[in-house]
């Protein structure tokens, strides 16, 4: 007798295998019903990301200001102040974003003011960081601008290399 033909069953899209993949898939399904869960999870891993980023930022500063005679710990302090200012500004922008729907219904005239304040805060971040870098390290404007651009690009790469895995972990940890 002829062997039975193999039964072909339709398959869904490929998925990540194993228990980790299954957990992530379940969490992605949960996010469809409760999207705010991911925001909470990301905020939960933010302190860990900052704990990693501040010393790495200090290493960047140490490398770019190698011959300025500053200790690594001084660069860590600059990194802490920089990140504290950045987080404060972002917190205020976030508070404005959270308050905007309520303000739109109760004090519509203020939404434009909040929007302008948020924009000014976002523009103030790089200006503050540039002025702080100029004052702390005391180099000429051309050198400060060059180093600010290099630090900015390198920090963006560092940030993404930390933030992307942390966002993945947040998705896993839901």
């Amino acid at each position: 007798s002829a062997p039975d033909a193999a039964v072909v069953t339709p398959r869904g899209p490929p998925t990540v295998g194993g228990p980790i993949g299954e957990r992530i898939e379940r969490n992605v399904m949960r996010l469809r019903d409760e999207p705010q869960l991911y925001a909470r999870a990301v905020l939960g891993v933010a302190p860990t990301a900052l704990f990693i980023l501040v010393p790495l930022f200090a290493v960047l500063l140490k490398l770019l200001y190698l011959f300025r005679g500053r200790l690594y710990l001084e660069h860590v302090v600059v990194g802490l102040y920089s990140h504290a200012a950045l987080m404060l500004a972002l917190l205020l922008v976030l508070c404005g974003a959270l308050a905007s729907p309520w303000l739109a219904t109760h004090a519509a005239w203020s939404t434009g003011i909040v929007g302008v304040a948020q924009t000014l805060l976002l523009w103030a971040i790089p200006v503050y960081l540039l002025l702080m870098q100029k004052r702390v390290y005391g180099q000429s404007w051309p050198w400060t601008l060059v180093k600010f651009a290099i630090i900015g690009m390198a920090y963006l790469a560092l940030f993404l290399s930390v933030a992307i895995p942390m966002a993945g972990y947040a998705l896993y940890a839901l």
Side-chain angles (χ1 to χ4, degrees), residues 45-133:
V45 297
T48 305
L50 287 174
F51 184 74
I52 294 167
L53 284 170
V54 169
L56 291 176
F57 181 67
V59 168
L60 277 175
L61 292 172
K62 180 67 176 170
L63 290 173
L64 279 158
Y65 291 100
L66 195 56
F67 302 108
R68 300 299 290 180
R70 295 194 181 256
L71 300 172
Y72 171 72
L73 190 56
E74 293 175 276
H75 299 293
V76 170
V77 171
V78 170
L80 286 170
Y81 275 101
S82 299
H83 283 81
L86 176 66
M87 292 301 113
L88 178 61
L90 291 176
L91 174 67
L92 293 172
V93 168
L94 178 64
C95 287
L98 292 173
S100 288
W102 184 87
L103 290 172
T105 58
H106 293 86
W109 57 270
S110 65
T111 56
I113 295 169
V114 170
V116 168
Q118 288 174 303
T119 302
L120 289 174
L121 274 169
L122 290 173
W123 279 101
I125 293 169
V127 170
Y128 169 78
L129 293 174
L130 176 63
L131 294 175
M132 188 239 354
Q133 186 175 329

Side-chain angles (χ1 to χ4, degrees), residues 10-33:
R11 297 175 60 180
T15 60
V16 178
I20 293 173
E22 290 172 8
R23 181 173 176 167
I24 290 173
E25 286 180 28
R26 277 194 313 272
N27 288 342
V28 168
M29 297 302 234
R30 284 178 56 203
L31 289 178
R32 290 181 185 163
D33 298 330

